Every structure is written in structure tokens, then in C-alpha cells.
Amino acid sequence: MSTSVTASPAKSAAPGLRTPRKKHTPGKPKRNVLLTVLMALMVLYTVVPLIWLIINSTKTQAGLADSNGLWFAHDFALWDNVRDTFTYHDGIFGRWLLNTLLYVGLGAGGATLLAVLGGYALAKFQFPGRRAVFAVVIGAVAVPGTALAVPTFLMFSKMGLTDTPSAVIIPSLVSPFGLYLMWVFAAEAIPTELLEAARMDGASEVRTFFQVALPLLAPGIVTVLLFTTVATWNNYFLPLIMLKDPDWYPLTLGLSAWSSQAQTIGGDVIFNLVITGSLLTILPLIAAFLFLQKHWQSGLAAGSVKE
Amino acid sequence: MRRTTSRILRGIALVSTLALGVTACGGSDDDSDTKAVSAGDIQAALDKGGDITVWAWEPTLKTVAADFQKKYPKVKVNLVSERSGDKHYTALSNAISAGKGVPDVAQVEYFALGQYSLTKGLTDLAPYGADKLASKYTPGPWNAVSDGDKVYGLPMDSGPMALFYNKTVFDKYKIAVPTTWDEYLDAARKLHKADPKAYITSDLGDAGLTTSLLWQAGSRPYKVDGTKLGVNFDDAGAKKYETVWQQLISEKLLAPVNGWTDDWYKGLGDGTIATLATGAWMPANFATGVPNAKGQWRAAPMPAWTKGDKASAENGGSSLAVPTLAKNKELAYAFTEYANSGAGVATRISEGAFPATKAELESPAFQSKKFDYFDGQEANKIFADSAANVASDWSYLPFQPYANSIFNDTVGKAYVSGTKLADGLKAWQDASVKYGEEQGFTIQK
């Protein structure tokens, strides 16, 4: 292994003797056996389930039962599975996909919009109670959504909103973490001087926001959008307690309902469709990450280096 | 029939159950539905038409609902079928406690009926004429849906128990099909010795299986009389069960696989789980879940606890019930009767459901049905025999879903640590009693 040739970090960090630090250029990163091993484990941990998912979505129910999980069965039924996934139960999977898109579009989209507006205001405007807002937001980041699910259910139930799409969309609109991220990002990414210059030139606050601030916030917006999209796309617990009508299920609930058919007397066992459906469910997320990757990375690095 | 219960769901179910209790205490002043509803009233409702919502996962109900709408064109049946098990009860309890979105008809398994009937969550169907249907059903299911002169649902299917065994595996190792539980224990040893990867069955703690086996062994742990309760796992029947099952556990003769998971289906398919003592509804699950093992499996009568004893028990099975908050009770009852007592029964049996009605169980057409999956065996004869031998004096707790949810924390320990099964049952008993007291039941010692 070539990694073992490099000087180990323990040697180079001899006490008292500050060896001149090596220059690390992006083309020649420093090597570290421990980190490499940890990284390899990480890759295994994340990639093996994905490989499992891809391999097993090519099997029929019978193939699933009598073949090794990490290799193909004698039958290749991927296309049949995809077709069956979309046609089973009068094509309800398609409906669930549209529901998920609706919840993500309105929920995650709305959450991002609110986070951008709020984060910008908190970062760039002085007003009484700012510290209190800060405390509330930080506190809210610490509260897991699961803990709020039951109180939210009871509240929505009083308002007569349960079992409607708004019961899933409205709670998704609030993303304390997104707000916090936008706040920090806006504070770093928009020089106050720039805003002052815009104001001096006579631009209204609205125009300043849209034409000066918003373009600078783009990487942050993409980051928050990704986070809220993933959170809403994968949300299981909130829709589980809010929705009863399967016509309004998101994909997560629908797939779990299909999976639990196998645990039911007389139920149709369709693990093959559950697996194929799961694969289809993560494809849009993977696509989103690949397409938005560039913006996302520049967003994470912003403000880390003083020019 | 037990699934791995997520702790969160269990918490939700608990919250809902409590809320349900509160609602029942607060709003029990509507005892107005005790007046009789004549057949004419129901016919008038059918002629007038309307919408009813049915929450049921039973797959054959789809055809039944379509037929029902064809017969009564003014009635629209909205069949909601994606939920089952725990999630179904969570949703039902939530809807009842919220007082909104309650279905007109709900599928409720026998073990869960008590929870809803006791909190007045279900309509007494006797005034609608359900009390006259008693003689149509086998005693086990009817006993489960009725309480004195009240009827809280109509039996939809039943689960008289049988022993399903993998004939290919049994033939391979020349093991005789056990007729008593002692022989079963011997078969377990012989099989596991011949093939260390094979087990006689899988069990990691399943409340439904344990209660069914206790039922068959003659144990009657639960005594329920209104709000008076007794829980006692210390009788002769329970001793018989403990003795055999303790040896199966201690000698590691049970596959460490949770029921109803993909591993379990896999085990049933590849011969590493060789038998299954369960309800007569299992053939349908075999056919869709383990299609590759077609021809390998057969049905046999349940092993007896004492040689020659024919006693059997029920495992699973469910009813259709009409919640108290249902909007259109006449139509709801009409549908329930159609599906579970009328023309729907034949439809459901033809699609593979196992009946709870005597006439169908005894009919020659039903008994001589050849099961392709079992290589042409006329398995219904065994199931019908079992149904006739189910003792009818068994009762579940009024909070059996809760009790089942704590089974793995109590009895389940015997499967994973050195705890004795008897101690596990004692712990389950204590926890059930404690919960019962908290719910306001009087506990009889």
C-alpha cells in the first residue's frame, strides 16, 4: 500500500521541534492511514446498503427468498418490478410520488423562503428582541421534530386540519436549522457596506434584497433547500400520525404500508415492490444532490477563509 | 400474530389509548343507540343511499365492496386499505379520541376488540339484528365478538390452528410428523442435530403465539367480568406449555428470527424453518410470501398436549365493527352483514379467506378443496376439524394490544437471556395487573 510510505503524523509531531509544515496543495493531499481506513469503512457503511438495494430490486419475490442478499438471483425482474410498482393497487405509487413532490415543493420550498427572509432580517437589521429570537431559534434546533409530533397532532386535530395535505405542509414550513444557517450565512456573505451603498444609491429595501442580497445568498439558499428537501422527502413520522387517507400518503408512508402487508393475515407479500419502490424513491434525491453539488460545496466553504 | 413494535408507535398508541379512555369517561351519555333498528330501517337506508368509509386491510373485501355497490347502486363504499396492524389501531384510536375522521366500518382483530368495546368505542350491533346471527358462526369467533347480549362486531374470518410442516425437510431426515408436543420437542432435537442450520420453528417471543398455545393447553390466564379482571399464568395448562417451550429455548432449538420479517419468509422458503403452528389463514400468506417453496409444505393437525386430546385454539382472525362515532350506522351494519354473513362470505372464501361461518366450514365443496400449494392436499378438512375443537371459554384482556406490546420486555427476556419462561410470564402478569389497576380495573387475585 502506498499510504504506508508517508511519514506518520506521530513522528512529525515531536514535542518542541516544530518541523516546517508541508505545503498541502489540492493536487497532493497529505496521506493518513487511519483516516484512509476510517474513510473506507464509512464508504462501505454507506455504499453497501445502496448496492444491496440496487441488486435486490432486480429480483422477484421468489428470488428474494432463495438467493444471497448481495448477489443477483437467477431472474432479472427489474423492469417488471418497476412496472408493477407503478401499476400495483391502481397505480397508487404514482399518486404517492406526486404527493411527495407536493409536500416537498410547498413544504421545503416554503421553509427555504421563510428561512432566507428571516435569516437575512436577523443578520442585517437591528431591532429589539433580536437576542430573544436568537435564543428561541437555537432552542428550537435542539428539539427533535418527533417530540413535537404528538402535540402538533392534537393541535391540528382541534383545528380540523388532520388528514389533509396542509397537516403535512404547514409543520414542514418551519425549519429552525435552516433559519439559523441562513442567518449565519447572510451575516458572512453580504457585506453591510454593500447594502449601505445600495441604500445610498436610493434603492428601496425590497429592491436591495432582491437585487443585491439574494444573488450573494444563492449558495446558502441551495444548501438550505437541500436540507429541507431531504428532511421533507424522508419525513415519515409526521405524515404517519397526521394522515389516514392513503390517497394523501407520501412515498415513505406508502412504502411502509406495502411492507407491512407482509405482516398481515391474507396480505399480499410484495417485498420486491417495496425494494424497487425504495430505489425509485431515492433516485430524485440523488439527482438533486448531483446537480446542486457545486453550489452546495461553495456554500459550505463560504466565510471559512479571510481574503 | 405479533410484529416488531416500534417504541415510538407504542408510545403513540399508549397516548391514544389514554385519550380514548378519557373520551369514553367524558362522553358516555349517549346510550341512545339501544333502540332496535328494524330490517325495514336498514332497507330504507340502503334505498336512500349514501357514502360509507371502511378501514380494512383484508384483500378480499375489494371484490365484496364492488359487489355490494352493484347490488345497492346508491351506496358508495370507500374502502381504505393501506394500513394494517399497529398502524391501523393507532389511526383508529386517534380518530376516535379526536372525534373526527372515524370510519363507518373498521376491521378489528379479535384480540383488540375488548379495548374498543370496553371504552364504548364500538356500536352494539345486537339492536340491528346481529344477535340473531349467533348460530351461524363457530364458537371461537362468536365468543370473541360478543359480550353477554351485546355484539361488537361480526366475525370476518377465523384462525383455527394447524401445524404446517415442510414435508421435504421432514422426509429428508426421516422425521415423523409430531402428534404431541413431546414428539415435537424430539423432532426439534433430531432435526437440529441432522442439520445445525435448520430449526423446527422460529420464535423470538410472540405474544399471539404464546397466548394461542396457552389457550390450546387449557390455560385460562385472563378472567374478565366487566371491570373486574384476573390475570394468572399459574395453572396446569400454562405449566404444560412452559415445560415444552422452556426446553426448546434452553436447548437453542428455535430459530432466532422474528416472525413476519423477510428473514422469516426466507427461512420458510429455504427449509431452515421447518414447521409453523399458526392459524388456518396461513396458506394465502404462503402462496404470496414464499412462492418458491410450493409443493414442499403440508398441513397437519396441531400437536396435542396430552396424547389423544383434540383441543385446538385460534390464532388471529378479525371482525368488522361499527365505531360509535360512525356517521351512517344503518349502512355500516348493512355492509358488515353483507360481507360477513351474507353473499360476501362466498366471495371471500373463493378468494382464499378462511371462514368463520359453520355452513361454509362444513360444506363438502369447501372441505374437498385441493390446495395447489400443498401439492393437492385437502387441507380444509384439517382446518375445519380444528375449528370445531376450539374451546370457546377463552378471553383476552380488554387492553390486549397494550399487553402484547410489553410481551417482549417481559416474557421476551426468556428468549435472549437466562430468564426462565415461567418468570417471564410472571413478569408479564405483574405488568398487566399494574396497567389494569392504573386503568381503573378491579383486580381479582
Side-chain angles (χ1 to χ4, degrees):
Chain A
M1 285 268 287
S2 59
T3 43
S4 56
V5 184
T6 54
S8 81
K11 245 183 235 165
S12 61
L17 280 171
R18 284 195 58 189
T19 45
R21 248 190 234 173
K22 273 185 199 156
K23 278 262 185 233
H24 296 300
T25 55
K28 198 182 165 220
K30 190 181 167 188
R31 289 177 180 153
N32 182 317
V33 182
L34 184 70
L35 282 180
T36 312
V37 171
L38 277 177
M39 210 49 219
L41 285 177
M42 222 22 226
V43 168
L44 268 184
Y45 180 74
T46 46
V47 169
V48 168
L50 191 65
I51 293 174
W52 184 93
L53 190 63
I54 294 169
I55 289 176
N56 284 279
S57 57
T58 66
K59 298 177 187 173
T60 59
Q61 175 62 32
L64 278 172
D66 64 5
S67 68
N68 186 302
L70 278 174
W71 198 240
F72 295 92
H74 41 85
D75 47 2
F76 187 85
L78 178 62
W79 310 123
D80 288 345
N81 281 342
V82 171
R83 194 195 56 225
D84 291 351
T85 304
F86 279 102
T87 53
Y88 189 75
H89 261 210
D90 308 324
I92 198 157
F93 186 81
R95 167 91 197 218
W96 291 337
L97 182 64
L98 292 178
N99 290 343
T100 306
L101 289 173
L102 175 78
Y103 299 152
V104 167
L106 294 181
T112 310
L113 182 71
L114 291 176
V116 171
L117 293 174
Y120 173 71
L122 283 165
K124 292 297 162 191
F125 294 93
Q126 298 292 334
F127 56 90
R130 228 173 74 135
R131 290 180 66 86
V133 173
F134 182 76
V136 170
V137 171
I138 292 295
V141 172
V143 180
T146 313
L148 291 176
V150 174
T152 315
F153 169 78
L154 294 174
M155 197 170 81
F156 273 61
S157 158
K158 277 251 158 47
M159 296 192 288
L161 286 175
T162 46
D163 208 17
T164 63
S166 48
V168 178
I169 294 166
I170 293 173
S172 308
L173 287 176
V174 185
S175 167
F177 180 68
L179 177 65
Y180 179 68
L181 206 73
M182 273 327 290
W183 178 355
V184 173
F185 189 82
E188 288 288 328
I190 309 171
T192 311
E193 295 81 359
L194 202 63
L195 295 180
E196 276 161 8
R199 281 173 197 140
M200 293 280 273
D201 289 343
S204 67
E205 281 304 330
V206 175
R207 190 169 167 192
T208 313
F209 174 71
F210 279 106
Q211 294 201 327
V212 179
L214 215 49
L216 291 170
L217 288 176
I221 295 173
V222 171
T223 311
V224 173
L225 190 64
L226 266 177
F227 275 123
T228 51
T229 301
V230 173
T232 318
W233 191 278
N234 290 337
N235 201 351
Y236 172 77
F237 195 62
L238 181 75
L240 173 69
I241 65 167
M242 290 292 186
L243 300 175
K244 291 188 280 283
D245 186 350
D247 280 350
W248 285 116
Y249 278 8
L251 287 165
T252 45
L253 268 196
L255 287 173
S256 129
W258 276 7
S259 169
S260 67
Q261 274 186 216
Q263 301 163 6
T264 307
I265 292 171
D268 206 1
V269 184
I270 45 166
F271 284 128
N272 55 330
L273 300 193
V274 176
I275 291 168
T276 311
S278 306
L279 181 67
L280 293 171
T281 299
I282 60 169
L283 289 181
L285 278 190
I286 292 176
F289 262 89
L290 289 181
F291 283 119
L292 297 174
Q293 185 178 209
K294 203 183 278 175
H295 304 278
W296 187 48
Q297 283 173 343
S298 66
L300 277 183
S304 57
V305 182
K306 270 267 188 283
E307 308 280 346
Chain B
M1 234 201 66
R2 198 66 243 140
R3 312 143 260 264
T4 42
T5 317
S6 110
R7 272 166 200 278
I8 294 169
L9 266 180
R10 190 192 301 177
I12 286 279
L14 188 56
V15 168
S16 323
T17 315
L18 296 176
L20 186 68
V22 172
T23 320
C25 294
S28 57
D29 51 341
D30 60 340
D31 274 352
S32 53
D33 57 5
T34 43
K35 64 176 195 299
V37 181
S38 72
D41 295 340
I42 294 170
Q43 190 57 49
L46 285 167
D47 292 340
K48 185 164 159 273
D51 284 19
I52 52 168
T53 303
V54 179
W55 285 7
W57 63 84
E58 227 285 329
T60 63
L61 281 179
K62 213 171 169 180
T63 320
V64 173
D67 292 349
F68 185 76
Q69 293 180 97
K70 219 175 280 161
K71 191 169 173 196
Y72 305 106
K74 286 191 175 161
V75 183
K76 183 165 182 323
V77 179
N78 175 23
L79 184 63
V80 179
S81 66
E82 301 295 339
R83 284 188 197 271
S84 61
D86 294 339
K87 290 182 200 110
H88 173 80
Y89 297 122
T90 306
L92 187 59
S93 301
N94 281 348
I96 291 176
S97 62
K100 199 183 153 286
V102 182
D104 298 283
V105 179
Q107 179 173 0
V108 183
E109 285 160 280
Y110 296 133
F111 80 91
L113 263 171
Q115 170 175 330
Y116 293 100
S117 61
L118 193 88
T119 51
K120 298 194 164 61
L122 298 178
T123 310
D124 174 17
L125 297 178
Y128 292 77
D131 51 344
K132 290 168 197 76
L133 302 172
S135 59
K136 290 190 86 163
Y137 297 99
T138 54
W142 186 257
N143 180 56
V145 298
S146 58
D147 178 15
D149 55 358
K150 290 186 162 43
V151 183
Y152 288 109
L154 288 184
M156 181 149 62
D157 51 13
S158 64
M161 291 180 86
L163 183 74
F164 298 89
Y165 68 98
N166 191 319
K167 187 171 186 294
T168 314
V169 172
F170 271 65
D171 287 352
K172 185 174 169 194
Y173 299 115
K174 300 192 174 55
I175 300 170
V177 180
T179 59
T180 65
W181 285 107
D182 288 326
E183 288 174 27
Y184 188 82
L185 183 59
D186 288 339
R189 290 178 179 136
K190 207 169 161 187
L191 172 68
H192 192 58
K193 205 170 159 222
D195 179 0
K197 272 195 293 190
Y199 296 90
I200 191 84
T201 193
S202 80
D203 189 13
L204 266 178
D206 175 340
L209 176 65
T210 299
T211 46
S212 289
L213 289 174
L214 288 169
W215 181 347
Q216 193 211 4
S219 171
R220 294 294 176 266
Y222 305 126
K223 303 259 183 310
V224 185
D225 177 16
T227 56
K228 285 192 224 122
L229 271 191
V231 184
N232 181 13
F233 288 101
D234 198 21
D235 56 16
K239 284 274 172 306
K240 287 186 206 167
Y241 160 76
E242 281 165 24
T243 314
V244 170
W245 231 253
Q246 183 65 59
Q247 292 179 77
L248 286 169
I249 295 170
S250 308
E251 296 173 33
K252 298 200 176 358
L253 298 171
L254 300 171
V257 172
N258 269 315
W260 304 93
T261 57
D262 51 342
D263 272 354
W264 183 72
Y265 280 108
K266 210 168 167 154
L268 293 177
D270 65 16
T272 53
I273 299 174
T275 76
L276 199 58
T278 194
W281 35 259
M282 191 63 205
N285 284 69
F286 266 127
T288 65
V290 213
N292 51 318
K294 187 178 173 182
Q296 296 182 19
W297 287 79
R298 297 287 185 280
M302 276 285 271
W305 291 99
T306 321
K307 192 140 189 95
D309 185 14
K310 295 202 61 163
S312 183
E314 297 266 344
N315 184 269
S318 52
S319 64
L320 287 180
V322 179
T324 313
L325 295 170
K327 284 185 196 69
N328 207 333
K329 290 188 186 173
E330 281 85 7
L331 287 185
Y333 178 74
F335 178 76
T336 304
E337 201 200 320
Y338 178 87
N340 291 359
S341 168
V345 177
T347 313
R348 297 188 42 259
I349 293 170
S350 71
E351 292 191 13
F354 194 83
T357 40
K358 277 184 196 161
E360 277 71 23
L361 274 167
E362 285 159 8
S363 83
F366 176 78
Q367 296 217 355
S368 60
K369 183 190 163 191
K370 289 184 171 31
F371 284 77
D372 274 352
Y373 193 87
F374 299 141
D375 208 22
Q377 186 186 18
E378 293 176 358
N380 278 340
K381 287 200 169 95
I382 294 165
F383 305 149
D385 229 30
S386 170
N389 288 308
V390 171
S392 67
D393 57 346
W394 171 270
S395 45
Y396 285 110
L397 285 173
F399 46 86
Q400 196 69 36
Y402 170 80
N404 285 5
S405 78
I406 57 167
F407 181 86
N408 283 52
D409 302 337
T410 52
V411 187
K413 283 188 182 150
Y415 291 84
V416 290
S417 68
T419 314
K420 286 270 167 284
L421 193 55
D423 297 339
L425 285 169
K426 181 73 174 61
W428 195 26
Q429 175 179 326
D430 293 345
S432 299
V433 164
K434 184 163 167 282
Y435 183 78
E437 275 171 342
E438 284 163 11
Q439 298 296 301
F441 289 97
T442 317
I443 307 296
Q444 294 176 317
K445 300 286 176 195

